[in-house]
Every structure is written in C-alpha cells, then in structure tokens.
Amino acid sequence: MGLSTRNEAVSDGRISGNCMVVLGCQWGDEGKGKIVDVLAEDVHVVARFQGGANAGHTVHVGEDEFILHQIPSGIIHPEKRCLLGNGVVVDAIGFCEEFDGLKARGIVVEGRVGVSQKAHLVMPYHRLLDQISEDNTEQKIGTTGRGIGPAYEEKAGRKGIRVSDFAHPKRVASLVEEGIERARRRAEFLGGEISGDVDAMVDEALQAAERLSGLATDTGLEILNAVRSGKRVLLEGAQGTALDLDHGTYPFVTSSNTTAGGAATGSGIGPTVIDAVMGVVKAYTTRVGNGPLPTGFEPEMDEKFRQLGGEFGATTGRPRRCGWFDAVLARYAARVNGLTGLAVTKLDVLDTVPEISIATSYRTQGGDVHEFPADTWQLGEVEPVYETLPGWESSTADARSLEDLPSAARRYLDRIEELTETPVQMVSVGTRRRQIIRV
Ligand code: GDP
C-alpha cells in the first residue's frame, strides 16, 4: 500500500498495541462483526462500549452462522473474556436468551461474560414507547424499535435503572413504578397507549436483570488491569460514525456515541489507554433506516447490490439502501475517530461490477465541498462528484494477500487509502474467517 502505517501499534493488520478500538465508519453494517471476529484471535478481552440490542453482528464459523445482538462476537472464540461496558444499554431478556442460546450450541459462556455495574437496562416500557413514538411522528428516524432511544433518554434524564441498582430491590421497584408511569404519560402525549400486560412483561425483565446482575463487574478496571498485565483488549463499536449522536446525520442517528471517544467513556478507561483505532468501511456504502444517503443508487442498481451483498439488516431483516463508496464520509470518519488504519470489507461484492465510482466531493449550490456537512438537510441535497475506476470483473474470494488481487482491485484500495489518508490494513473478501487479507 502506498502510505506507511502511522501508528506503530498496528502492523500487518494485527494488533500489536494492547488496546485497539474497532468501529464502523459509515452507517453501520460495515461487517465489523467479521473484522472483530478475525482480530479476536489475538486478544484476551473484547468489550462493547455503546448501543444495545439494536446492533446485530453476523459471524460465520465453518458452516455455522451466529447472529449476536448484545454479547460481543469474541464469545465464539474459546477463552476470551467478553464485556458489556457502561455505555451499553442492556435488554436483560434478550441478553439471557442470547447467553442460553450460545450455551445450547456448545459455546462455554460461564465465567466469560461480564456486564458493567453502571450499564443501564432497557425495560419493556422503553420498547413499547419506542414503537409508539416512531408510529406517531412524521419525521421517522427508522429505529429498530428495541427501546434503545428511550432507555438512553432516561439515562441522560437521570431516571434510568442500572445493573448496580439490583443490590437494592426497593430502589428498583420504585424506579420501575415511576418509569411505567412516565412511559404511560409520554405515550398518551404522543397519541398512543402502553398496552398489553405491562406488569408481566416487567416481571420477566426484572427476573432476567436479576440474573444479569450476577455478571456485574467494573469493566474499566478489568480493561486497565488486562492492559497493564500485557493482555490485549479490543473495544468493539456498534452502528457507525454517521450514526453517532454528535457527529452523525442528526437526527437520523442512534442515541449513543459510536465514535472513538465513546470507546473510552463507554468502557470506563481513559483515552490514553487506547493505542489504535481501526475503522471498518464497506467497499461501497449502505444505509438502513431513514435519512440522506448521498451516493445512493437508482432502484435497479440498488436492487442489484442488495442481492450481491445480501444487504438486509441482521437485527430487523430490513432491506438496506446501497450506493457507491463515499470518500467524503470516510475521510470525515478518519478525522473524527483519529483512525490509525482501515479495514475494507465486502470487496468481493464488487467482483462483477464493470466500473466502480467513488464520491470524492459534494456539489452544492454554494460550490464543491470536501468536508461532510453538519447540516443533514444540506447533505440530502448535495450531488456527489464521482471519480470512476475500472472494475476487475474476476473473483477476489480466494485472495489472501494484496498480490493475489487483480491490479484494478489494488488500484481501488490505493485510491481509498489516498482519499482517506489512512492506511488500509485489512481487506475482507468473503464471509468466512479465512477470507481476509492482512496488509
Ligand atoms: P456489522 O454489524 O458491521 O458486523 O455488519 P452485519 O453483520 O450487519 O453485516 C455484515 C454482513 O456481511 C454479514 O452477513 C457478514 O457475514 C457479511 N460480510 C462481512 N464481511 C464480508 C465480506 O468481505 N464479503 C461478503 N460477501 N460478506 C461479508
């Protein structure tokens, strides 16, 4: 690759520093699960730092497919410690189902999963409220309806229930009572109603949360101790940079900080503990949910890519919108995350495409812009300026080194590297673990 590795902590697409963040640089679904799964081989601890059951990682191991929503995908590797940091909001029922489901498939989970004492819980009334508010607003965000937004709202509003509260049953009971009441009033205000047997749903959630509280830990301390004793830690992001609460396409964003700063806050360590930040980008762009997608395709091409790339959400099955690689967004992601390297996934999806475009800037009424606009409505109106490169029209699925790739594919990766000013350190050419190039 043309550019040298800027951070000595990372080389050969392997973790050589002790603490690395892996996060998405587009609108989520970049294939982070696969990259984390590959990197997890080299680490001792994998921790999530934000999001909740709205994330979905699909990992293929041999013929087995694992879809994980809350437990880090490191769980599929024997003996890794898997943590859910304080920045995560946990759906206890879903968590226990996932935990038991992994166990039923022969994965040893006992003693390997820890949940921050400070993590907040997503309650059934958050989920109901999420659906009601999405159904009753004109400006739909396209949420997954899993209660994540309302749970974070209660966290910021200092009304949430944390894992550590389970040491005080009376406190939990009064927080729940007030939470249900607030949800009812809010639902009424929105023109809906909290319906169903809420008490039974809440009882089930509390029983699951009680079980979860048995896994409570100080994630920041665990991570720091691991790093200090020479162990390697991987901090795994969910969603992507353009969905970050502060830096994404607000308000069409998720309710947490998906960017690298959130990795420190959401896991309980200081930023100086982090050695490297690996940004995951798909070789093209996709977006699920609402909000602008500047490089989005016309319907025919959109459908073609959806089929080629299997672009349907892991959590909801929703079809994703597809488009060309957006280097304006990727360069922005490199900046706000302080990326030290890139992992480019799904290169193989472009194998049959004769010509491939990359958006290098945006045309606006006020002239061409090279920076990702803060104004989401402006972003909806920009016209991408494309550069078109020849496709390679041959299979990359068996490539294991850059030399194995067709020269047009190498050129494409070089161009991504130049435009983002970030070294490409990994390239994924298929769903399987072995289908990876470490640069
Ligand atoms: P994540 O949340 O970022 O992990 O993304 P998802 O799990 O929602 O989507 C990634 C999908 O792409 C999964 O089905 C992966 O198996 C698949 N995938 C990951 N890397 C590659 C790749 O290099 N090529 C192909 N064809 N599929 C991939």
Side-chain angles (χ1 to χ4, degrees):
M1 297 262 103
L3 297 172
S4 64
T5 302
R6 279 183 294 166
N7 189 322
E8 306 255 313
V10 192
S11 61
D12 296 339
R14 286 180 192 278
I15 295 183
S16 52
N18 282 348
C19 188
M20 183 194 232
V21 179
V22 178
L23 46 73
C25 288
Q26 295 157 325
W27 278 279
D29 311 316
E30 296 93 349
K32 297 176 294 295
K34 153 94 187 260
I35 298 299
V36 169
D37 181 56
V38 170
L39 290 171
E41 264 174 47
D42 300 340
V43 307
H44 302 87
V45 181
V46 182
R48 280 194 58 186
F49 56 87
Q50 44 75 226
N54 53 350
H57 287 318
T58 313
V59 182
H60 291 95
V61 183
E63 292 310 305
D64 289 333
E65 182 183 82
F66 293 88
I67 298 184
L68 296 162
H69 297 292
Q70 299 193 77
I71 298 180
S73 46
I75 197 73
I76 297 164
H77 292 262
E79 292 169 26
K80 313 287 175 202
R81 176 84 171 143
C82 292
L83 301 175
L84 275 72
N86 54 280
V88 172
V89 287
V90 194
D91 179 321
I93 299 174
F95 176 92
C96 290
E97 279 171 9
E98 209 166 297
F99 190 90
D100 295 340
L102 285 164
K103 213 155 113 178
R105 288 177 73 176
I107 309 258
V108 179
V109 282
E110 305 297 348
R112 291 185 48 211
V113 184
V115 181
S116 168
Q117 298 147 330
K118 298 174 195 161
H120 282 242
L121 293 175
V122 180
M123 296 301 287
Y125 46 86
H126 293 140
R127 195 164 22 83
L128 295 169
L129 198 54
D130 203 2
Q131 286 151 7
I132 291 167
S133 74
E134 188 73 354
D135 289 346
N136 290 276
T137 48
E138 277 179 21
Q139 186 184 284
K140 297 192 191 309
I141 304 295
T143 77
T144 52
R146 304 280 156 120
I148 312 298
Y152 276 119
E153 279 178 40
E154 294 224 313
K155 174 178 174 177
R158 294 164 293 181
K159 306 267 191 275
I161 307 176
R162 306 199 301 174
V163 170
S164 61
D165 289 325
F166 282 81
H168 312 282
K170 277 197 188 144
R171 178 172 164 73
V172 171
S174 86
L175 284 169
V176 166
E177 201 178 312
E178 288 165 23
I180 295 174
E181 188 47 37
R182 256 194 322 277
R184 282 196 201 288
R185 275 189 268 129
R186 180 85 190 276
E188 205 178 308
F189 173 76
L190 292 166
E193 194 190 354
I194 298 280
S195 54
D197 191 344
V198 179
D199 289 341
M201 286 188 245
V202 167
D203 278 349
E204 193 192 350
L206 291 179
Q207 275 174 31
E210 198 61 61
R211 236 183 108 190
L212 184 82
S213 68
L215 306 176
T217 184
D218 182 334
T219 51
L221 187 61
E222 272 204 45
I223 293 169
L224 192 63
N225 284 340
V227 169
R228 280 185 173 157
S229 64
K231 290 184 176 164
R232 288 176 176 159
V233 177
L234 195 155
L235 303 176
E236 168 185 346
Q239 291 93 34
T241 300
L243 292 173
D244 181 277
L245 180 59
D246 287 78
H247 303 292
T249 50
Y250 192 90
F252 305 102
V253 291
T254 197
S255 303
S256 58
N257 285 117
T258 58
T259 43
T265 320
S267 62
I269 55 168
T272 49
V273 177
I274 296 168
D275 298 297
V277 183
M278 172 80 88
V280 186
V281 287
K282 224 177 259 194
Y284 49 100
T285 311
T286 61
R287 174 160 204 178
V288 75
N290 294 338
L293 174 63
T295 61
F297 291 131
E298 294 299 322
E300 199 181 317
M301 193 73 156
D302 194 34
E303 187 53 34
K304 180 178 167 180
F305 266 71
R306 197 155 33 246
Q307 295 305 330
L308 282 173
E311 297 299 348
F312 299 90
T315 302
T316 58
R318 288 185 291 181
R320 297 171 182 153
R321 288 177 282 155
C322 304
W324 293 124
F325 186 84
D326 186 341
V328 182
L329 171 60
R331 195 166 49 235
Y332 172 71
R335 170 162 67 87
V336 295
N337 291 301
L339 294 187
T340 54
L342 274 180
V344 179
T345 63
K346 292 196 154 184
L347 188 71
D348 55 297
V349 173
L350 301 178
D351 283 353
T352 57
V353 183
E355 284 190 326
I356 301 167
S357 296
I358 303 181
T360 54
S361 61
Y362 296 149
R363 191 145 294 153
T364 71
Q365 284 183 341
D368 286 3
V369 293
H370 291 84
E371 296 299 331
F372 196 68
D375 180 346
T376 301
W377 279 265
Q378 184 193 5
L379 185 69
E381 287 167 5
V382 300
E383 201 190 306
V385 176
Y386 288 114
E387 178 179 302
T388 298
L389 285 88
W392 41 95
E393 296 185 86
S394 58
S395 174
T396 54
D398 295 326
R400 298 295 173 268
S401 71
L402 287 178
E403 291 69 43
D404 296 340
L405 286 175
S407 58
R410 288 210 302 272
R411 220 177 122 201
Y412 184 63
L413 294 171
D414 280 344
R415 195 63 189 126
I416 289 178
E417 193 171 81
E418 280 162 17
L419 288 166
T420 58
E421 297 175 19
T422 310
V424 172
Q425 295 177 326
M426 294 174 89
V427 183
S428 174
V429 291
T431 57
R432 311 280 159 199
R433 266 182 188 167
R434 61 175 188 282
Q435 291 180 298
I436 198 85
I437 298 171
R438 297 180 193 251
V439 179

Short mmCIF file of all heavy atoms in Angstrom, two decimals, residues 29-34 56-58 60 314 320 345-349 428-431, ligand 1:
data_model
loop_
_atom_site.label_atom_id
_atom_site.label_comp_id
_atom_site.label_asym_id
_atom_site.label_seq_id
_atom_site.Cartn_x
_atom_site.Cartn_y
_atom_site.Cartn_z
N ASP A 29 -23.39 -1.68 9.81
CA ASP A 29 -23.45 -2.85 8.93
C ASP A 29 -22.23 -2.96 8.02
O ASP A 29 -22.31 -3.49 6.92
CB ASP A 29 -24.72 -2.84 8.05
CG ASP A 29 -25.98 -2.57 8.85
OD1 ASP A 29 -26.11 -3.17 9.93
OD2 ASP A 29 -26.81 -1.76 8.41
N GLU A 30 -21.10 -2.46 8.46
CA GLU A 30 -19.90 -2.46 7.62
C GLU A 30 -19.21 -3.82 7.60
O GLU A 30 -18.25 -4.03 6.85
CB GLU A 30 -18.88 -1.42 8.12
CG GLU A 30 -19.35 0.02 8.04
CD GLU A 30 -20.01 0.48 9.34
OE1 GLU A 30 -20.28 -0.39 10.20
OE2 GLU A 30 -20.26 1.69 9.50
N GLY A 31 -19.71 -4.73 8.44
CA GLY A 31 -19.03 -6.02 8.55
C GLY A 31 -18.05 -6.02 9.72
O GLY A 31 -17.07 -6.76 9.73
N LYS A 32 -18.35 -5.19 10.72
CA LYS A 32 -17.48 -5.10 11.91
C LYS A 32 -17.38 -6.45 12.60
O LYS A 32 -16.32 -6.83 13.10
CB LYS A 32 -18.03 -4.08 12.91
CG LYS A 32 -18.07 -2.67 12.40
CD LYS A 32 -18.72 -1.75 13.40
CE LYS A 32 -20.19 -2.03 13.63
NZ LYS A 32 -21.06 -1.80 12.48
N GLY A 33 -18.51 -7.19 12.60
CA GLY A 33 -18.54 -8.49 13.29
C GLY A 33 -17.44 -9.41 12.77
O GLY A 33 -16.72 -10.04 13.53
N LYS A 34 -17.31 -9.44 11.45
CA LYS A 34 -16.29 -10.30 10.83
C LYS A 34 -14.88 -9.83 11.21
O LYS A 34 -14.01 -10.64 11.55
CB LYS A 34 -16.51 -10.26 9.30
CG LYS A 34 -15.29 -10.52 8.44
CD LYS A 34 -15.15 -11.96 8.02
CE LYS A 34 -13.84 -12.21 7.31
NZ LYS A 34 -13.92 -12.25 5.88
N GLY A 56 -26.46 -5.71 15.37
CA GLY A 56 -26.51 -7.13 15.03
C GLY A 56 -25.26 -7.50 14.29
O GLY A 56 -24.95 -6.90 13.26
N HIS A 57 -24.49 -8.41 14.83
CA HIS A 57 -23.30 -8.87 14.13
C HIS A 57 -23.55 -10.27 13.63
O HIS A 57 -24.04 -11.11 14.37
CB HIS A 57 -22.10 -8.93 15.07
CG HIS A 57 -21.56 -7.59 15.44
ND1 HIS A 57 -21.41 -6.58 14.54
CD2 HIS A 57 -21.09 -7.12 16.60
CE1 HIS A 57 -20.89 -5.53 15.14
NE2 HIS A 57 -20.70 -5.83 16.40
N THR A 58 -23.19 -10.51 12.38
CA THR A 58 -23.32 -11.85 11.84
C THR A 58 -21.91 -12.40 11.67
O THR A 58 -21.07 -11.77 11.03
CB THR A 58 -24.01 -11.81 10.46
OG1 THR A 58 -25.16 -10.97 10.59
CG2 THR A 58 -24.44 -13.18 10.00
N HIS A 60 -19.68 -15.90 10.62
CA HIS A 60 -19.71 -17.26 10.08
C HIS A 60 -18.49 -18.02 10.53
O HIS A 60 -17.37 -17.55 10.37
CB HIS A 60 -19.75 -17.23 8.54
CG HIS A 60 -21.05 -16.69 8.02
ND1 HIS A 60 -21.22 -15.38 7.68
CD2 HIS A 60 -22.24 -17.30 7.82
CE1 HIS A 60 -22.47 -15.19 7.28
NE2 HIS A 60 -23.11 -16.33 7.36
N ALA A 314 -29.33 -7.44 9.97
CA ALA A 314 -29.19 -8.63 10.80
C ALA A 314 -30.19 -8.61 11.96
O ALA A 314 -30.63 -9.65 12.44
CB ALA A 314 -27.77 -8.73 11.36
N ARG A 320 -31.46 -2.82 3.03
CA ARG A 320 -30.61 -1.63 3.16
C ARG A 320 -30.53 -0.91 1.82
O ARG A 320 -30.50 -1.56 0.78
CB ARG A 320 -29.20 -2.05 3.57
CG ARG A 320 -29.15 -2.72 4.92
CD ARG A 320 -27.77 -3.32 5.20
NE ARG A 320 -27.75 -4.00 6.48
CZ ARG A 320 -26.94 -5.01 6.77
NH1 ARG A 320 -26.08 -5.45 5.88
NH2 ARG A 320 -26.99 -5.58 7.95
N THR A 345 -14.18 -4.02 3.86
CA THR A 345 -14.90 -5.30 3.77
C THR A 345 -15.70 -5.40 2.47
O THR A 345 -15.91 -4.40 1.79
CB THR A 345 -15.89 -5.46 4.94
OG1 THR A 345 -16.87 -4.43 4.84
CG2 THR A 345 -15.19 -5.37 6.30
N LYS A 346 -16.09 -6.61 2.19
CA LYS A 346 -17.00 -6.90 1.07
C LYS A 346 -16.45 -6.46 -0.29
O LYS A 346 -17.22 -6.08 -1.19
CB LYS A 346 -18.37 -6.27 1.33
CG LYS A 346 -19.10 -6.94 2.50
CD LYS A 346 -20.55 -6.58 2.50
CE LYS A 346 -21.41 -7.63 3.16
NZ LYS A 346 -22.83 -7.38 3.11
N LEU A 347 -15.14 -6.51 -0.44
CA LEU A 347 -14.54 -6.15 -1.73
C LEU A 347 -15.09 -7.10 -2.81
O LEU A 347 -15.32 -6.69 -3.94
CB LEU A 347 -13.02 -6.26 -1.65
CG LEU A 347 -12.28 -5.74 -2.87
CD1 LEU A 347 -12.36 -4.21 -2.95
CD2 LEU A 347 -10.82 -6.18 -2.88
N ASP A 348 -15.31 -8.36 -2.42
CA ASP A 348 -15.79 -9.38 -3.37
C ASP A 348 -17.15 -9.03 -3.98
O ASP A 348 -17.47 -9.49 -5.07
CB ASP A 348 -15.88 -10.75 -2.66
CG ASP A 348 -16.75 -10.67 -1.42
OD1 ASP A 348 -16.38 -9.93 -0.48
OD2 ASP A 348 -17.82 -11.32 -1.39
N VAL A 349 -17.93 -8.21 -3.27
CA VAL A 349 -19.26 -7.86 -3.78
C VAL A 349 -19.13 -7.06 -5.09
O VAL A 349 -20.02 -7.06 -5.93
CB VAL A 349 -20.07 -7.10 -2.70
CG1 VAL A 349 -21.38 -6.56 -3.24
CG2 VAL A 349 -20.31 -8.01 -1.49
N SER A 428 -11.38 -7.61 3.49
CA SER A 428 -12.19 -8.82 3.60
C SER A 428 -12.80 -9.14 2.25
O SER A 428 -13.33 -8.25 1.57
CB SER A 428 -13.27 -8.60 4.66
OG SER A 428 -14.14 -9.70 4.70
N VAL A 429 -12.70 -10.41 1.85
CA VAL A 429 -13.16 -10.80 0.51
C VAL A 429 -14.19 -11.92 0.56
O VAL A 429 -14.35 -12.68 -0.40
CB VAL A 429 -11.95 -11.21 -0.39
CG1 VAL A 429 -11.09 -10.00 -0.73
CG2 VAL A 429 -11.10 -12.29 0.28
N GLY A 430 -14.89 -12.02 1.66
CA GLY A 430 -15.93 -13.05 1.79
C GLY A 430 -16.37 -13.14 3.23
O GLY A 430 -15.79 -12.50 4.11
N THR A 431 -17.39 -13.95 3.47
CA THR A 431 -17.95 -14.02 4.83
C THR A 431 -17.09 -14.87 5.78
O THR A 431 -17.17 -14.71 6.98
CB THR A 431 -19.36 -14.64 4.80
OG1 THR A 431 -19.27 -15.92 4.19
CG2 THR A 431 -20.33 -13.76 4.02
P1 GDP B 1 -21.79 -5.49 11.26
O1 GDP B 1 -22.90 -5.16 12.20
O2 GDP B 1 -20.97 -4.30 10.93
O3 GDP B 1 -20.97 -6.66 11.72
O4 GDP B 1 -22.42 -5.93 9.90
P2 GDP B 1 -23.54 -7.05 9.64
O5 GDP B 1 -23.24 -8.26 10.44
O6 GDP B 1 -24.88 -6.46 9.73
O7 GDP B 1 -23.31 -7.28 8.11
C1 GDP B 1 -22.22 -7.83 7.63
C2 GDP B 1 -22.64 -8.96 6.71
O8 GDP B 1 -21.70 -9.02 5.72
C3 GDP B 1 -22.64 -10.32 7.39
O9 GDP B 1 -23.62 -11.15 6.81
C4 GDP B 1 -21.25 -10.85 7.09
O10 GDP B 1 -21.16 -12.26 7.06
C5 GDP B 1 -21.04 -10.28 5.73
N1 GDP B 1 -19.66 -9.99 5.40
C6 GDP B 1 -18.67 -9.49 6.20
N2 GDP B 1 -17.55 -9.35 5.50
C7 GDP B 1 -17.82 -9.75 4.24
C8 GDP B 1 -17.08 -9.81 3.04
O11 GDP B 1 -15.90 -9.43 2.98
N3 GDP B 1 -17.71 -10.25 1.92
C9 GDP B 1 -19.01 -10.66 1.92
N4 GDP B 1 -19.56 -11.07 0.79
N5 GDP B 1 -19.75 -10.61 3.03
C10 GDP B 1 -19.16 -10.16 4.17
#
